[in-house]
Amino acid sequence: MYDKDGSWIGGVIVAFSSTMQYGIGWCTNIWTELPVQPPVEVDKVWTITKTESAFIITCNGVEVLNYLFADSSLSTCVPKWAGDVVEEIEFSTSDTASDFYRADWTVVGRDVKIPWDLEATSLQIKTDSALGSGEAIYVYMYDKESSWIGNVVVRFTVTSTMQYYIGSCTTSWTDLPVQPPMEVDKIWTITKTETALIITCNNVEVLNYLFTDSIRITCVPRWGGDVVEEIEFSTSDTASDFLYRADWAVVGRDVKIPWDLEAIPLQIKTDSALGSGEAIYVYMYDKDRFWIGNVVVRFTVTSTMQYYIGYCTTSWTDLPVQPPMEVDKIWTITKTETALIITCNNVEVLNYQFADSSRSTCVTKWGGDVVKQIQFVSYMDTASDFY
């Protein structure tokens, strides 16, 4: 690990000994057993997270280490690692275990148009701006012809209330209806439907703006429908630090994948034809890797697509809204603490409230913030191509 000047901070090592061990340069002086041993699967996904005061390591969704720098017996630990210091990483030639790594957060570049179908893929932005700094998230939106639609701006005002502005819709700076959490480190999610712009901050919905509520006649013509195909961070953007770019991955089956479904919707690409009999078939697990239930969408041999939710439904049920006719589909599965919502090519086809189930197991199994892993099932999932 290196700082912004390219100066070495220290190393983080995990050793595959009979009991797995770790070492942190300038903090530990001997190999130390991981407090929680990782799952036994051979295929592992390790997540290393650093805060200003700690290192946290998870393996396949299980937290195996939460190391507080202040707990170190070495006087060098806090000066080296504390704060917002790590800006570069390097895999050592002594690294014999790491096969692949994924860096989904990329540094925001400005004055560059980025292909982005906002109606299909929400935009996530990381900021560390302080309230009162006067900094702003400032994003331009364009259509498929690269014609300007409008801008979306969120301002860290010099007062105590954060504000927003939507080009061609609002006429002045407006207070966010719900003020965001107080943490300095924030993840903003900008979601657009055909009728609204929705902004969340650290999973709290701070704005749900219906275009038809605007007093400006330009709002609906500009923003209504499936229109945004490019984005651009303006040079006036002084807050956006990182942009989430998650590439589509080929679906692997029978492998548990760490996935906090309440925080991050699951998107799945299919090209199955109606009547093929194929199905999306996903298992869901909790933090202890216990099975919660399955979510299934079936391309039935009849003309009506159906769904099934384990522990909630008792039989195959027609989707209340049938999906668009295109063969190429992007399905988005969103879970809140009270509902499961499925959209297909931006059309909401299901909004299932757990409390509406006739089965007593539904709320018990699915209610709350519970899903931490997913798994595509090999012998049943014949439709999912990418996620």
Side-chain angles (χ1 to χ4, degrees):
M1 308 277 179
Y2 299 86
D3 65 17
K4 64 181 179 179
D5 299 317
S7 299
W8 189 65
I9 296 170
V12 177
I13 307 170
V14 177
F16 287 75
S17 45
S18 55
T19 301
M20 293 199 65
Q21 299 177 317
Y22 72 95
I24 301 173
W26 304 112
C27 292
T28 58
N29 51 21
I30 56 173
W31 287 108
T32 307
E33 292 182 3
L34 287 169
V36 176
Q37 289 298 295
V40 296
E41 293 94 346
V42 172
D43 293 323
K44 293 179 169 64
V45 176
W46 299 84
T47 303
I48 300 175
T49 302
K50 182 186 173 294
T51 69
E52 296 196 354
S53 59
F55 253 125
I56 302 154
I57 300 178
T58 64
C59 178
N60 290 4
V62 176
E63 186 179 284
V64 296
L65 178 68
N66 191 322
Y67 187 91
L68 297 174
F69 305 136
D71 288 345
S72 173
S73 62
L74 298 178
S75 61
T76 48
C77 186
V78 169
K80 280 283 187 177
W81 288 101
D84 182 0
V85 292
V86 178
E87 301 296 334
E88 296 178 331
I89 63 169
E90 178 185 0
F91 290 91
S92 166
T93 53
S94 300
D95 187 316
T96 51
S98 302
D99 298 317
F100 303 94
Y101 79 98
R102 184 174 65 190
D104 292 330
W105 289 100
T106 58
V107 175
V108 164
R110 287 160 174 88
D111 247 4
V112 177
K113 289 189 176 73
I114 305 166
W116 200 286
D117 183 344
L118 189 60
E119 289 81 9
T121 305
S122 296
L123 174 63
Q124 288 193 303
I125 300 167
K126 272 188 181 179
T127 66
D128 61 3
S129 301
L131 188 60
S133 65
E135 296 184 353
I137 298 167
Y138 203 114
V139 188
Y140 291 139
M141 307 285 178
Y142 299 88
D143 65 16
K144 63 182 179 179
E145 310 295 343
S146 289
S147 297
W148 188 71
I149 295 170
N151 52 342
V152 176
V153 189
V154 177
R155 187 167 67 169
F156 292 76
T157 51
V158 292
T159 64
S160 60
T161 307
M162 291 197 64
Q163 298 179 316
Y164 73 97
Y165 181 88
I166 302 172
S168 302
C169 291
T170 56
T171 56
S172 61
W173 290 106
T174 308
D175 292 348
L176 286 169
V178 176
Q179 290 298 297
M182 294 300 294
E183 296 96 344
V184 171
D185 293 322
K186 292 179 170 65
I187 296 178
W188 301 84
T189 303
I190 301 174
T191 301
K192 184 184 173 295
T193 68
E194 295 195 355
T195 59
L197 192 81
I198 302 155
I199 300 179
T200 65
C201 178
N202 290 5
N203 299 320
V204 175
E205 187 179 283
V206 296
L207 178 68
N208 191 323
Y209 187 90
L210 297 175
F211 304 135
T212 52
D213 288 345
S214 173
I215 62 172
R216 300 186 64 179
I217 59 173
T218 51
C219 187
V220 171
R222 286 275 187 173
W223 289 94
D226 183 0
V227 292
V228 178
E229 300 296 334
E230 293 180 328
I231 64 170
E232 178 187 354
F233 290 89
S234 166
T235 51
S236 300
D237 187 315
T238 50
S240 302
D241 298 318
F242 298 95
L243 165 70
Y244 188 74
R245 295 298 303 267
D247 294 328
W248 289 100
V250 175
V251 165
R253 289 168 172 85
D254 286 351
V255 176
K256 290 187 177 74
I257 304 165
W259 201 283
D260 184 343
L261 190 60
E262 288 81 9
I264 303 172
L266 173 64
Q267 289 192 303
I268 300 168
K269 277 188 178 180
T270 65
D271 60 4
S272 302
L274 187 61
S276 64
E278 296 184 353
I280 298 167
Y281 204 112
V282 187
Y283 285 152
M284 308 283 181
Y285 299 87
D286 67 15
K287 63 185 175 68
D288 297 317
R289 304 168 65 81
F290 290 119
W291 192 63
I292 294 170
N294 51 342
V295 176
V296 189
V297 177
R298 186 167 69 168
F299 292 77
T300 50
V301 293
T302 64
S303 59
T304 307
M305 291 197 65
Q306 298 180 315
Y307 72 97
Y308 181 88
I309 302 172
Y311 291 109
C312 291
T313 56
T314 56
S315 61
W316 290 106
T317 308
D318 293 349
L319 286 169
V321 176
Q322 290 298 296
M325 294 300 294
E326 296 95 342
V327 171
D328 293 322
K329 292 178 170 64
I330 296 177
W331 302 84
T332 303
I333 301 174
T334 301
K335 183 185 174 295
T336 69
E337 295 195 356
T338 58
L340 192 82
I341 302 155
I342 300 179
T343 65
C344 178
N345 289 6
N346 302 320
V347 175
E348 187 178 283
V349 296
L350 179 69
N351 190 322
Y352 188 90
Q353 302 291 321
F354 304 136
D356 289 345
S357 173
S358 62
R359 301 184 64 177
S360 60
T361 50
C362 186
V363 171
T364 306
K365 281 281 189 176
W366 289 94
D369 183 359
V370 291
V371 178
K372 301 300 172 187
Q373 293 180 330
I374 63 170
Q375 180 183 351
F376 294 91
V377 184
S378 62
Y379 63 94
M380 297 297 287
D381 189 316
T382 49
S384 303
D385 299 318
F386 301 93
Y387 75 99

Short mmCIF file of all heavy atoms in Angstrom, two decimals, residues 246-282:
data_model
loop_
_atom_site.label_atom_id
_atom_site.label_comp_id
_atom_site.label_asym_id
_atom_site.label_seq_id
_atom_site.Cartn_x
_atom_site.Cartn_y
_atom_site.Cartn_z
N ALA A 246 -19.61 -1.20 -12.79
CA ALA A 246 -19.66 -2.65 -12.64
C ALA A 246 -19.91 -3.28 -13.99
O ALA A 246 -20.99 -3.15 -14.56
CB ALA A 246 -20.76 -3.05 -11.65
N ASP A 247 -18.90 -3.95 -14.55
CA ASP A 247 -19.06 -4.60 -15.84
C ASP A 247 -19.93 -5.84 -15.68
O ASP A 247 -19.97 -6.46 -14.62
CB ASP A 247 -17.70 -4.99 -16.42
CG ASP A 247 -16.85 -3.78 -16.76
OD1 ASP A 247 -17.44 -2.74 -17.12
OD2 ASP A 247 -15.62 -3.87 -16.64
N TRP A 248 -20.60 -6.21 -16.77
CA TRP A 248 -21.38 -7.44 -16.75
C TRP A 248 -20.44 -8.64 -16.66
O TRP A 248 -19.42 -8.70 -17.35
CB TRP A 248 -22.22 -7.55 -18.03
CG TRP A 248 -23.35 -6.58 -18.08
CD1 TRP A 248 -23.39 -5.39 -18.74
CD2 TRP A 248 -24.61 -6.70 -17.42
NE1 TRP A 248 -24.59 -4.76 -18.54
CE2 TRP A 248 -25.37 -5.55 -17.74
CE3 TRP A 248 -25.19 -7.67 -16.60
CZ2 TRP A 248 -26.66 -5.34 -17.27
CZ3 TRP A 248 -26.47 -7.47 -16.13
CH2 TRP A 248 -27.19 -6.33 -16.47
N ALA A 249 -20.79 -9.58 -15.80
CA ALA A 249 -20.01 -10.81 -15.63
C ALA A 249 -20.84 -12.00 -16.08
O ALA A 249 -22.07 -12.02 -15.90
CB ALA A 249 -19.60 -10.99 -14.17
N VAL A 250 -20.18 -12.98 -16.67
CA VAL A 250 -20.87 -14.20 -17.07
C VAL A 250 -21.39 -14.91 -15.83
O VAL A 250 -20.68 -15.03 -14.82
CB VAL A 250 -19.92 -15.13 -17.85
CG1 VAL A 250 -20.60 -16.46 -18.17
CG2 VAL A 250 -19.45 -14.45 -19.13
N VAL A 251 -22.63 -15.35 -15.89
CA VAL A 251 -23.23 -16.05 -14.74
C VAL A 251 -22.53 -17.39 -14.53
O VAL A 251 -22.44 -18.21 -15.44
CB VAL A 251 -24.74 -16.26 -14.96
CG1 VAL A 251 -25.29 -17.29 -13.97
CG2 VAL A 251 -25.49 -14.94 -14.81
N GLY A 252 -21.99 -17.57 -13.33
CA GLY A 252 -21.48 -18.88 -12.91
C GLY A 252 -22.50 -19.50 -11.99
O GLY A 252 -23.13 -18.81 -11.19
N ARG A 253 -22.66 -20.78 -12.08
CA ARG A 253 -23.71 -21.44 -11.31
C ARG A 253 -23.12 -22.27 -10.17
O ARG A 253 -21.97 -22.69 -10.23
CB ARG A 253 -24.60 -22.27 -12.23
CG ARG A 253 -25.46 -21.36 -13.13
CD ARG A 253 -26.15 -22.09 -14.25
NE ARG A 253 -27.11 -21.19 -14.93
CZ ARG A 253 -26.77 -20.34 -15.90
NH1 ARG A 253 -25.51 -20.26 -16.30
NH2 ARG A 253 -27.69 -19.57 -16.46
N ASP A 254 -23.96 -22.47 -9.16
CA ASP A 254 -23.59 -23.25 -7.97
C ASP A 254 -22.43 -22.66 -7.20
O ASP A 254 -21.67 -23.38 -6.55
CB ASP A 254 -23.29 -24.72 -8.35
CG ASP A 254 -24.56 -25.49 -8.67
OD1 ASP A 254 -25.65 -24.96 -8.43
OD2 ASP A 254 -24.46 -26.62 -9.18
N VAL A 255 -22.27 -21.33 -7.27
CA VAL A 255 -21.24 -20.62 -6.51
C VAL A 255 -21.93 -19.52 -5.72
O VAL A 255 -22.67 -18.70 -6.28
CB VAL A 255 -20.18 -20.00 -7.44
CG1 VAL A 255 -19.17 -19.19 -6.62
CG2 VAL A 255 -19.48 -21.07 -8.25
N LYS A 256 -21.72 -19.50 -4.41
CA LYS A 256 -22.29 -18.44 -3.60
C LYS A 256 -21.51 -17.15 -3.83
O LYS A 256 -20.28 -17.12 -3.76
CB LYS A 256 -22.28 -18.82 -2.11
CG LYS A 256 -23.26 -19.93 -1.76
CD LYS A 256 -23.32 -20.13 -0.25
CE LYS A 256 -24.34 -21.20 0.12
NZ LYS A 256 -23.86 -22.55 -0.20
N ILE A 257 -22.24 -16.06 -4.12
CA ILE A 257 -21.65 -14.77 -4.45
C ILE A 257 -22.05 -13.78 -3.37
O ILE A 257 -23.24 -13.58 -3.11
CB ILE A 257 -22.17 -14.28 -5.81
CG1 ILE A 257 -21.90 -15.31 -6.90
CG2 ILE A 257 -21.55 -12.92 -6.17
CD1 ILE A 257 -22.68 -15.07 -8.18
N PRO A 258 -21.08 -13.13 -2.70
CA PRO A 258 -21.45 -12.10 -1.72
C PRO A 258 -22.28 -11.01 -2.38
O PRO A 258 -21.87 -10.44 -3.40
CB PRO A 258 -20.09 -11.57 -1.25
CG PRO A 258 -19.11 -12.67 -1.56
CD PRO A 258 -19.63 -13.33 -2.79
N TRP A 259 -23.46 -10.73 -1.83
CA TRP A 259 -24.33 -9.73 -2.44
C TRP A 259 -25.32 -9.23 -1.40
O TRP A 259 -26.20 -9.96 -0.97
CB TRP A 259 -25.09 -10.33 -3.63
CG TRP A 259 -25.58 -9.28 -4.57
CD1 TRP A 259 -26.64 -8.45 -4.40
CD2 TRP A 259 -25.00 -8.92 -5.82
NE1 TRP A 259 -26.77 -7.60 -5.47
CE2 TRP A 259 -25.76 -7.87 -6.36
CE3 TRP A 259 -23.90 -9.38 -6.54
CZ2 TRP A 259 -25.46 -7.28 -7.58
CZ3 TRP A 259 -23.59 -8.80 -7.75
CH2 TRP A 259 -24.37 -7.76 -8.26
N ASP A 260 -25.18 -7.96 -1.00
CA ASP A 260 -26.11 -7.34 -0.07
C ASP A 260 -27.28 -6.80 -0.89
O ASP A 260 -27.23 -5.68 -1.39
CB ASP A 260 -25.41 -6.22 0.70
CG ASP A 260 -26.29 -5.59 1.77
OD1 ASP A 260 -27.52 -5.77 1.71
OD2 ASP A 260 -25.75 -4.90 2.64
N LEU A 261 -28.32 -7.62 -1.04
CA LEU A 261 -29.41 -7.29 -1.95
C LEU A 261 -30.19 -6.06 -1.50
O LEU A 261 -30.76 -5.35 -2.34
CB LEU A 261 -30.34 -8.49 -2.12
CG LEU A 261 -31.39 -8.37 -3.23
CD1 LEU A 261 -30.74 -8.20 -4.60
CD2 LEU A 261 -32.31 -9.59 -3.23
N GLU A 262 -30.23 -5.79 -0.22
CA GLU A 262 -30.93 -4.60 0.25
C GLU A 262 -30.17 -3.31 -0.09
O GLU A 262 -30.75 -2.23 -0.16
CB GLU A 262 -31.18 -4.67 1.77
CG GLU A 262 -32.24 -5.67 2.19
CD GLU A 262 -31.74 -7.10 2.26
OE1 GLU A 262 -30.51 -7.32 2.15
OE2 GLU A 262 -32.57 -8.02 2.44
N ALA A 263 -28.88 -3.43 -0.31
CA ALA A 263 -28.06 -2.26 -0.65
C ALA A 263 -27.84 -2.12 -2.15
O ALA A 263 -27.78 -1.00 -2.67
CB ALA A 263 -26.71 -2.34 0.06
N ILE A 264 -27.72 -3.26 -2.86
CA ILE A 264 -27.39 -3.23 -4.29
C ILE A 264 -28.36 -4.12 -5.05
O ILE A 264 -28.34 -5.35 -4.88
CB ILE A 264 -25.94 -3.71 -4.54
CG1 ILE A 264 -24.94 -2.86 -3.75
CG2 ILE A 264 -25.62 -3.66 -6.03
CD1 ILE A 264 -23.53 -3.38 -3.80
N PRO A 265 -29.22 -3.56 -5.89
CA PRO A 265 -30.10 -4.39 -6.70
C PRO A 265 -29.29 -5.34 -7.59
O PRO A 265 -28.17 -5.04 -8.00
CB PRO A 265 -30.87 -3.37 -7.54
CG PRO A 265 -30.80 -2.10 -6.75
CD PRO A 265 -29.46 -2.12 -6.08
N LEU A 266 -29.88 -6.49 -7.89
CA LEU A 266 -29.25 -7.50 -8.74
C LEU A 266 -29.80 -7.35 -10.15
O LEU A 266 -31.01 -7.42 -10.36
CB LEU A 266 -29.55 -8.89 -8.19
CG LEU A 266 -29.11 -10.08 -9.05
CD1 LEU A 266 -27.59 -10.12 -9.20
CD2 LEU A 266 -29.63 -11.39 -8.44
N GLN A 267 -28.91 -7.15 -11.12
CA GLN A 267 -29.33 -7.06 -12.51
C GLN A 267 -28.88 -8.30 -13.27
O GLN A 267 -27.74 -8.75 -13.11
CB GLN A 267 -28.77 -5.80 -13.17
CG GLN A 267 -29.42 -4.51 -12.66
CD GLN A 267 -29.07 -3.31 -13.51
OE1 GLN A 267 -27.91 -2.99 -13.69
NE2 GLN A 267 -30.09 -2.64 -14.04
N ILE A 268 -29.77 -8.82 -14.10
CA ILE A 268 -29.51 -10.05 -14.84
C ILE A 268 -29.90 -9.83 -16.29
O ILE A 268 -30.98 -9.31 -16.59
CB ILE A 268 -30.33 -11.23 -14.26
CG1 ILE A 268 -29.97 -11.48 -12.79
CG2 ILE A 268 -30.12 -12.50 -15.08
CD1 ILE A 268 -30.91 -12.42 -12.07
N LYS A 269 -29.02 -10.23 -17.22
CA LYS A 269 -29.32 -10.17 -18.64
C LYS A 269 -29.77 -11.53 -19.13
O LYS A 269 -29.15 -12.56 -18.80
CB LYS A 269 -28.08 -9.74 -19.44
CG LYS A 269 -27.82 -8.25 -19.49
CD LYS A 269 -26.69 -7.95 -20.48
CE LYS A 269 -26.43 -6.45 -20.59
NZ LYS A 269 -25.34 -6.14 -21.53
N THR A 270 -30.84 -11.55 -19.93
CA THR A 270 -31.31 -12.79 -20.56
C THR A 270 -31.60 -12.53 -22.04
O THR A 270 -31.85 -11.38 -22.43
CB THR A 270 -32.59 -13.31 -19.90
OG1 THR A 270 -33.67 -12.37 -20.14
CG2 THR A 270 -32.43 -13.52 -18.41
N ASP A 271 -31.56 -13.61 -22.84
CA ASP A 271 -32.02 -13.53 -24.23
C ASP A 271 -32.93 -14.71 -24.54
O ASP A 271 -33.01 -15.17 -25.69
CB ASP A 271 -30.84 -13.49 -25.20
CG ASP A 271 -29.92 -14.70 -25.11
OD1 ASP A 271 -30.24 -15.64 -24.33
OD2 ASP A 271 -28.90 -14.74 -25.82
N SER A 272 -33.64 -15.18 -23.52
CA SER A 272 -34.56 -16.30 -23.68
C SER A 272 -35.86 -15.83 -24.33
O SER A 272 -36.35 -14.74 -24.06
CB SER A 272 -34.88 -16.92 -22.31
OG SER A 272 -33.70 -17.36 -21.67
N ALA A 273 -36.41 -16.70 -25.17
CA ALA A 273 -37.65 -16.38 -25.85
C ALA A 273 -38.84 -16.80 -25.01
O ALA A 273 -38.79 -17.82 -24.29
CB ALA A 273 -37.70 -17.09 -27.20
N LEU A 274 -39.90 -16.02 -25.09
CA LEU A 274 -41.15 -16.40 -24.43
C LEU A 274 -41.62 -17.74 -25.01
O LEU A 274 -41.62 -17.92 -26.22
CB LEU A 274 -42.20 -15.32 -24.64
CG LEU A 274 -43.50 -15.49 -23.87
CD1 LEU A 274 -43.25 -15.46 -22.37
CD2 LEU A 274 -44.48 -14.39 -24.26
N GLY A 275 -41.98 -18.65 -24.11
CA GLY A 275 -42.40 -19.98 -24.54
C GLY A 275 -41.28 -21.00 -24.54
O GLY A 275 -41.49 -22.18 -24.80
N SER A 276 -40.03 -20.54 -24.22
CA SER A 276 -38.89 -21.46 -24.23
C SER A 276 -38.89 -22.40 -23.03
O SER A 276 -38.22 -23.43 -23.05
CB SER A 276 -37.58 -20.67 -24.23
OG SER A 276 -37.46 -19.91 -23.01
N GLY A 277 -39.62 -22.02 -21.98
CA GLY A 277 -39.61 -22.84 -20.77
C GLY A 277 -38.40 -22.60 -19.89
O GLY A 277 -38.25 -23.23 -18.83
N GLU A 278 -37.51 -21.69 -20.30
CA GLU A 278 -36.32 -21.39 -19.50
C GLU A 278 -36.69 -20.55 -18.29
O GLU A 278 -37.80 -20.01 -18.20
CB GLU A 278 -35.27 -20.70 -20.36
CG GLU A 278 -34.75 -21.59 -21.49
CD GLU A 278 -33.65 -20.96 -22.31
OE1 GLU A 278 -33.36 -19.75 -22.10
OE2 GLU A 278 -33.06 -21.65 -23.16
N ALA A 279 -35.74 -20.43 -17.35
CA ALA A 279 -36.05 -19.72 -16.11
C ALA A 279 -34.82 -19.04 -15.52
O ALA A 279 -33.70 -19.54 -15.64
CB ALA A 279 -36.63 -20.69 -15.08
N ILE A 280 -35.05 -17.88 -14.88
CA ILE A 280 -34.10 -17.29 -13.94
C ILE A 280 -34.36 -17.95 -12.60
O ILE A 280 -35.51 -18.01 -12.14
CB ILE A 280 -34.32 -15.77 -13.82
CG1 ILE A 280 -34.10 -15.07 -15.16
CG2 ILE A 280 -33.44 -15.16 -12.73
CD1 ILE A 280 -34.60 -13.64 -15.20
N TYR A 281 -33.31 -18.44 -11.95
CA TYR A 281 -33.52 -19.22 -10.72
C TYR A 281 -32.38 -18.90 -9.76
O TYR A 281 -31.26 -19.36 -9.94
CB TYR A 281 -33.54 -20.71 -11.05
CG TYR A 281 -34.28 -21.59 -10.06
CD1 TYR A 281 -35.46 -22.22 -10.41
CD2 TYR A 281 -33.79 -21.82 -8.79
CE1 TYR A 281 -36.14 -23.05 -9.53
CE2 TYR A 281 -34.46 -22.64 -7.88
CZ TYR A 281 -35.64 -23.25 -8.27
OH TYR A 281 -36.30 -24.07 -7.38
N VAL A 282 -32.67 -18.07 -8.74
CA VAL A 282 -31.63 -17.58 -7.84
C VAL A 282 -31.95 -17.93 -6.39
O VAL A 282 -33.06 -17.64 -5.92
CB VAL A 282 -31.45 -16.05 -7.97
CG1 VAL A 282 -30.24 -15.57 -7.17
CG2 VAL A 282 -31.33 -15.63 -9.43
#
